[in-house]
Amino acid sequence: MMMLPVRGNERSASLLAALDERCLAFVAGLPEPLRGLGLRRGTYTGEPGDDPFAGPSTLNPGVTLTPWLFWQTTSRLDDKTFLDLAEAGCLIVISSALLDHLVDGQAESPEDAVLLQRLFHERGIAGLRVCLGGGSPFWVIGDRLIAEHLEGLASEKRMRADPTGFSYPEFQKMVQAKFAPIVLTMAAYLAATNRLELLEPVEASIKLARYATHRPYV
């Protein structure tokens, strides 16, 4: 389990609690049946059961809480900007998890899951646009990462249909593509702090670390 810089850090803990509150408030405001689906933990982890969703902090921190794992880089932002970016990035990452479950056939109600996925993704993109503006260099990077994620899911579909025609390099590329939305969150922070020159090592560290464990969402 990854350790977050929360214990003994009042600011970090306060921001983390605020992220949970924001995400839960967003889900609670959705119409049924999407609200009920969004309030189930298994919707995001792909696990069976009716355990309630208690916020992003209860999911895999390496997926939903990347800004806290790169605290020395991200904490230079003021609280509002930090939290706005964290919320937007988290919603996009969660939307990618929902899309992954759809591709894997894990969604209990695919029609509802599609709608929930779109709401999360669009809310996250809108949040980033407010924070960064439409002219930020982030958007070229963001478009690349979103396209990479979708290409990875398409590759997974092809592999499932014909495993014999899939090479190990293609498998590596497919797995790392699943973590492109996580990189997107950090790209937004680096754009907000004018440190996009750090994107290449940050992206490599995220993809390689997550590839080593290959446990995207639980």
Side-chain angles (χ1 to χ4, degrees), residues 55-82:
S57 69
T58 65
L59 300 177
N60 186 331
V63 176
T64 55
L65 305 180
T66 312
W68 280 264
L69 296 174
F70 287 86
W71 182 251
Q72 288 187 332
T73 299
T74 60
S75 61
R76 64 185 62 202
L77 292 170
D78 63 90
D79 285 4
K80 183 181 185 306
T81 305
F82 181 100

mmCIF file of all heavy atoms in Angstrom, residues 55-82:
data_model
loop_
_atom_site.group_PDB
_atom_site.id
_atom_site.type_symbol
_atom_site.label_atom_id
_atom_site.label_comp_id
_atom_site.label_asym_id
_atom_site.label_seq_id
_atom_site.Cartn_x
_atom_site.Cartn_y
_atom_site.Cartn_z
ATOM 1 N N GLY A 55 -15.593 7.782 -1.061
ATOM 2 C CA GLY A 55 -14.739 8.824 -1.601
ATOM 3 C C GLY A 55 -13.472 8.271 -2.210
ATOM 4 O O GLY A 55 -13.094 7.116 -1.976
ATOM 5 N N PRO A 56 -12.774 9.083 -3.006
ATOM 6 C CA PRO A 56 -11.554 8.648 -3.682
ATOM 7 C C PRO A 56 -10.462 8.153 -2.739
ATOM 8 O O PRO A 56 -9.646 7.317 -3.122
ATOM 9 C CB PRO A 56 -11.100 9.907 -4.425
ATOM 10 C CG PRO A 56 -12.332 10.708 -4.601
ATOM 11 C CD PRO A 56 -13.161 10.446 -3.399
ATOM 12 N N SER A 57 -10.439 8.661 -1.507
ATOM 13 C CA SER A 57 -9.386 8.264 -0.578
ATOM 14 C C SER A 57 -9.493 6.801 -0.180
ATOM 15 O O SER A 57 -8.543 6.238 0.371
ATOM 16 C CB SER A 57 -9.421 9.135 0.690
ATOM 17 O OG SER A 57 -10.565 8.861 1.459
ATOM 18 N N THR A 58 -10.633 6.168 -0.452
ATOM 19 C CA THR A 58 -10.823 4.765 -0.101
ATOM 20 C C THR A 58 -10.482 3.826 -1.247
ATOM 21 O O THR A 58 -10.563 2.613 -1.090
ATOM 22 C CB THR A 58 -12.271 4.507 0.347
ATOM 23 O OG1 THR A 58 -13.161 4.739 -0.761
ATOM 24 C CG2 THR A 58 -12.657 5.425 1.495
ATOM 25 N N LEU A 59 -10.112 4.387 -2.407
ATOM 26 C CA LEU A 59 -9.703 3.580 -3.549
ATOM 27 C C LEU A 59 -8.174 3.513 -3.589
ATOM 28 O O LEU A 59 -7.504 4.021 -2.698
ATOM 29 C CB LEU A 59 -10.260 4.182 -4.839
ATOM 30 C CG LEU A 59 -11.793 4.292 -4.923
ATOM 31 C CD1 LEU A 59 -12.208 4.975 -6.218
ATOM 32 C CD2 LEU A 59 -12.454 2.929 -4.784
ATOM 33 N N ASN A 60 -7.633 2.903 -4.609
ATOM 34 C CA ASN A 60 -6.187 2.763 -4.739
ATOM 35 C C ASN A 60 -5.549 4.152 -4.830
ATOM 36 O O ASN A 60 -5.780 4.877 -5.802
ATOM 37 C CB ASN A 60 -5.872 1.959 -6.003
ATOM 38 C CG ASN A 60 -4.402 1.631 -6.140
ATOM 39 O OD1 ASN A 60 -3.540 2.366 -5.674
ATOM 40 N ND2 ASN A 60 -4.116 0.518 -6.792
ATOM 41 N N PRO A 61 -4.742 4.564 -3.854
ATOM 42 C CA PRO A 61 -4.186 5.924 -3.874
ATOM 43 C C PRO A 61 -3.256 6.175 -5.044
ATOM 44 O O PRO A 61 -3.103 7.317 -5.486
ATOM 45 C CB PRO A 61 -3.430 6.026 -2.544
ATOM 46 C CG PRO A 61 -3.123 4.611 -2.168
ATOM 47 C CD PRO A 61 -4.291 3.811 -2.665
ATOM 48 N N GLY A 62 -2.652 5.123 -5.578
ATOM 49 C CA GLY A 62 -1.790 5.287 -6.733
ATOM 50 C C GLY A 62 -2.546 5.653 -7.985
ATOM 51 O O GLY A 62 -1.957 6.059 -8.985
ATOM 52 N N VAL A 63 -3.866 5.542 -7.936
ATOM 53 C CA VAL A 63 -4.713 5.856 -9.077
ATOM 54 C C VAL A 63 -5.437 7.177 -8.880
ATOM 55 O O VAL A 63 -5.353 8.082 -9.711
ATOM 56 C CB VAL A 63 -5.736 4.720 -9.314
ATOM 57 C CG1 VAL A 63 -6.697 5.079 -10.436
ATOM 58 C CG2 VAL A 63 -5.021 3.419 -9.629
ATOM 59 N N THR A 64 -6.153 7.312 -7.769
ATOM 60 C CA THR A 64 -7.024 8.473 -7.584
ATOM 61 C C THR A 64 -6.366 9.641 -6.859
ATOM 62 O O THR A 64 -6.890 10.750 -6.901
ATOM 63 C CB THR A 64 -8.291 8.066 -6.813
ATOM 64 O OG1 THR A 64 -7.915 7.442 -5.576
ATOM 65 C CG2 THR A 64 -9.136 7.100 -7.626
ATOM 66 N N LEU A 65 -5.235 9.396 -6.188
ATOM 67 C CA LEU A 65 -4.661 10.442 -5.327
ATOM 68 C C LEU A 65 -3.239 10.807 -5.738
ATOM 69 O O LEU A 65 -2.398 11.113 -4.896
ATOM 70 C CB LEU A 65 -4.696 9.975 -3.862
ATOM 71 C CG LEU A 65 -6.070 9.563 -3.332
ATOM 72 C CD1 LEU A 65 -5.969 9.117 -1.890
ATOM 73 C CD2 LEU A 65 -7.086 10.698 -3.478
ATOM 74 N N THR A 66 -2.978 10.810 -7.042
ATOM 75 C CA THR A 66 -1.643 11.115 -7.542
ATOM 76 C C THR A 66 -1.076 12.435 -7.022
ATOM 77 O O THR A 66 0.116 12.511 -6.709
ATOM 78 C CB THR A 66 -1.645 11.120 -9.081
ATOM 79 O OG1 THR A 66 -2.303 9.943 -9.540
ATOM 80 C CG2 THR A 66 -0.232 11.151 -9.626
ATOM 81 N N PRO A 67 -1.879 13.505 -6.903
ATOM 82 C CA PRO A 67 -1.304 14.774 -6.402
ATOM 83 C C PRO A 67 -0.692 14.652 -5.013
ATOM 84 O O PRO A 67 0.271 15.369 -4.691
ATOM 85 C CB PRO A 67 -2.511 15.720 -6.392
ATOM 86 C CG PRO A 67 -3.430 15.162 -7.433
ATOM 87 C CD PRO A 67 -3.275 13.680 -7.344
ATOM 88 N N TRP A 68 -1.215 13.763 -4.192
ATOM 89 C CA TRP A 68 -0.651 13.579 -2.852
ATOM 90 C C TRP A 68 0.643 12.770 -2.916
ATOM 91 O O TRP A 68 1.535 12.965 -2.097
ATOM 92 C CB TRP A 68 -1.675 12.898 -1.947
ATOM 93 C CG TRP A 68 -2.707 13.841 -1.409
ATOM 94 C CD1 TRP A 68 -2.695 14.472 -0.194
ATOM 95 C CD2 TRP A 68 -3.900 14.281 -2.073
ATOM 96 N NE1 TRP A 68 -3.805 15.271 -0.057
ATOM 97 C CE2 TRP A 68 -4.566 15.173 -1.199
ATOM 98 C CE3 TRP A 68 -4.485 14.011 -3.311
ATOM 99 C CZ2 TRP A 68 -5.773 15.790 -1.522
ATOM 100 C CZ3 TRP A 68 -5.680 14.625 -3.645
ATOM 101 C CH2 TRP A 68 -6.307 15.505 -2.753
ATOM 102 N N LEU A 69 0.753 11.883 -3.885
ATOM 103 C CA LEU A 69 1.968 11.083 -4.027
ATOM 104 C C LEU A 69 3.127 11.915 -4.571
ATOM 105 O O LEU A 69 4.289 11.577 -4.362
ATOM 106 C CB LEU A 69 1.706 9.886 -4.945
ATOM 107 C CG LEU A 69 0.683 8.872 -4.407
ATOM 108 C CD1 LEU A 69 0.406 7.811 -5.461
ATOM 109 C CD2 LEU A 69 1.168 8.218 -3.129
ATOM 110 N N PHE A 70 2.805 13.001 -5.253
ATOM 111 C CA PHE A 70 3.810 13.943 -5.751
ATOM 112 C C PHE A 70 3.700 15.257 -4.970
ATOM 113 O O PHE A 70 3.790 16.340 -5.537
ATOM 114 C CB PHE A 70 3.612 14.196 -7.251
ATOM 115 C CG PHE A 70 4.018 13.048 -8.126
ATOM 116 C CD1 PHE A 70 3.132 12.020 -8.404
ATOM 117 C CD2 PHE A 70 5.294 12.999 -8.673
ATOM 118 C CE1 PHE A 70 3.498 10.965 -9.228
ATOM 119 C CE2 PHE A 70 5.671 11.950 -9.501
ATOM 120 C CZ PHE A 70 4.776 10.915 -9.775
ATOM 121 N N TRP A 71 3.530 15.141 -3.678
ATOM 122 C CA TRP A 71 3.211 16.270 -2.820
ATOM 123 C C TRP A 71 4.226 17.410 -2.908
ATOM 124 O O TRP A 71 3.860 18.584 -2.921
ATOM 125 C CB TRP A 71 3.080 15.789 -1.378
ATOM 126 C CG TRP A 71 2.702 16.852 -0.381
ATOM 127 C CD1 TRP A 71 3.496 17.406 0.580
ATOM 128 C CD2 TRP A 71 1.428 17.487 -0.246
ATOM 129 N NE1 TRP A 71 2.809 18.332 1.312
ATOM 130 C CE2 TRP A 71 1.525 18.402 0.831
ATOM 131 C CE3 TRP A 71 0.214 17.364 -0.909
ATOM 132 C CZ2 TRP A 71 0.457 19.200 1.241
ATOM 133 C CZ3 TRP A 71 -0.860 18.153 -0.502
ATOM 134 C CH2 TRP A 71 -0.727 19.057 0.559
ATOM 135 N N GLN A 72 5.495 17.099 -2.983
ATOM 136 C CA GLN A 72 6.515 18.153 -3.028
ATOM 137 C C GLN A 72 6.357 19.029 -4.269
ATOM 138 O O GLN A 72 6.692 20.219 -4.245
ATOM 139 C CB GLN A 72 7.909 17.548 -2.988
ATOM 140 C CG GLN A 72 8.290 16.981 -1.629
ATOM 141 C CD GLN A 72 9.746 16.551 -1.575
ATOM 142 O OE1 GLN A 72 10.336 16.185 -2.597
ATOM 143 N NE2 GLN A 72 10.329 16.599 -0.393
ATOM 144 N N THR A 73 5.858 18.445 -5.333
ATOM 145 C CA THR A 73 5.650 19.199 -6.571
ATOM 146 C C THR A 73 4.314 19.919 -6.576
ATOM 147 O O THR A 73 4.224 21.082 -6.976
ATOM 148 C CB THR A 73 5.723 18.256 -7.788
ATOM 149 O OG1 THR A 73 7.012 17.653 -7.832
ATOM 150 C CG2 THR A 73 5.453 18.996 -9.083
ATOM 151 N N THR A 74 3.258 19.256 -6.121
ATOM 152 C CA THR A 74 1.906 19.801 -6.250
ATOM 153 C C THR A 74 1.532 20.767 -5.132
ATOM 154 O O THR A 74 0.682 21.639 -5.319
ATOM 155 C CB THR A 74 0.871 18.664 -6.284
ATOM 156 O OG1 THR A 74 0.963 17.902 -5.069
ATOM 157 C CG2 THR A 74 1.118 17.743 -7.471
ATOM 158 N N SER A 75 2.138 20.626 -3.955
ATOM 159 C CA SER A 75 1.701 21.399 -2.789
ATOM 160 C C SER A 75 2.057 22.874 -2.879
ATOM 161 O O SER A 75 1.608 23.668 -2.050
ATOM 162 C CB SER A 75 2.290 20.810 -1.506
ATOM 163 O OG SER A 75 3.707 20.857 -1.534
ATOM 164 N N ARG A 76 2.833 23.282 -3.864
ATOM 165 C CA ARG A 76 3.177 24.697 -4.013
ATOM 166 C C ARG A 76 1.974 25.525 -4.470
ATOM 167 O O ARG A 76 1.996 26.741 -4.388
ATOM 168 C CB ARG A 76 4.338 24.856 -4.984
ATOM 169 C CG ARG A 76 4.048 24.422 -6.404
ATOM 170 C CD ARG A 76 5.314 24.500 -7.264
ATOM 171 N NE ARG A 76 6.332 23.598 -6.756
ATOM 172 C CZ ARG A 76 7.627 23.740 -7.005
ATOM 173 N NH1 ARG A 76 8.049 24.749 -7.743
ATOM 174 N NH2 ARG A 76 8.503 22.875 -6.523
ATOM 175 N N LEU A 77 0.934 24.859 -4.974
ATOM 176 C CA LEU A 77 -0.282 25.562 -5.383
ATOM 177 C C LEU A 77 -1.120 25.940 -4.167
ATOM 178 O O LEU A 77 -1.073 25.273 -3.126
ATOM 179 C CB LEU A 77 -1.109 24.682 -6.315
ATOM 180 C CG LEU A 77 -0.511 24.406 -7.702
ATOM 181 C CD1 LEU A 77 -1.311 23.325 -8.411
ATOM 182 C CD2 LEU A 77 -0.476 25.679 -8.528
ATOM 183 N N ASP A 78 -1.920 26.993 -4.301
ATOM 184 C CA ASP A 78 -2.830 27.367 -3.223
ATOM 185 C C ASP A 78 -3.906 26.294 -3.075
ATOM 186 O O ASP A 78 -4.138 25.486 -3.987
ATOM 187 C CB ASP A 78 -3.466 28.724 -3.509
ATOM 188 C CG ASP A 78 -4.334 28.712 -4.760
ATOM 189 O OD1 ASP A 78 -5.533 28.426 -4.649
ATOM 190 O OD2 ASP A 78 -3.796 28.968 -5.868
ATOM 191 N N ASP A 79 -4.571 26.300 -1.919
ATOM 192 C CA ASP A 79 -5.521 25.234 -1.603
ATOM 193 C C ASP A 79 -6.624 25.095 -2.646
ATOM 194 O O ASP A 79 -6.974 23.981 -3.048
ATOM 195 C CB ASP A 79 -6.161 25.488 -0.233
ATOM 196 C CG ASP A 79 -5.215 25.172 0.915
ATOM 197 O OD1 ASP A 79 -4.042 24.824 0.637
ATOM 198 O OD2 ASP A 79 -5.637 25.287 2.079
ATOM 199 N N LYS A 80 -7.199 26.201 -3.084
ATOM 200 C CA LYS A 80 -8.316 26.130 -4.036
ATOM 201 C C LYS A 80 -7.867 25.526 -5.359
ATOM 202 O O LYS A 80 -8.547 24.634 -5.896
ATOM 203 C CB LYS A 80 -8.930 27.509 -4.269
ATOM 204 C CG LYS A 80 -10.147 27.473 -5.212
ATOM 205 C CD LYS A 80 -10.736 28.836 -5.449
ATOM 206 C CE LYS A 80 -11.998 28.732 -6.288
ATOM 207 N NZ LYS A 80 -11.801 27.988 -7.562
ATOM 208 N N THR A 81 -6.754 25.993 -5.889
ATOM 209 C CA THR A 81 -6.278 25.461 -7.161
ATOM 210 C C THR A 81 -5.898 23.993 -7.031
ATOM 211 O O THR A 81 -6.221 23.175 -7.898
ATOM 212 C CB THR A 81 -5.070 26.273 -7.667
ATOM 213 O OG1 THR A 81 -5.437 27.656 -7.745
ATOM 214 C CG2 THR A 81 -4.639 25.794 -9.042
ATOM 215 N N PHE A 82 -5.212 23.663 -5.932
ATOM 216 C CA PHE A 82 -4.843 22.269 -5.689
ATOM 217 C C PHE A 82 -6.083 21.390 -5.697
ATOM 218 O O PHE A 82 -6.130 20.349 -6.359
ATOM 219 C CB PHE A 82 -4.121 22.145 -4.351
ATOM 220 C CG PHE A 82 -3.687 20.731 -4.027
ATOM 221 C CD1 PHE A 82 -2.375 20.338 -4.232
ATOM 222 C CD2 PHE A 82 -4.587 19.793 -3.524
ATOM 223 C CE1 PHE A 82 -1.966 19.033 -3.943
ATOM 224 C CE2 PHE A 82 -4.196 18.493 -3.236
ATOM 225 C CZ PHE A 82 -2.881 18.111 -3.448
#
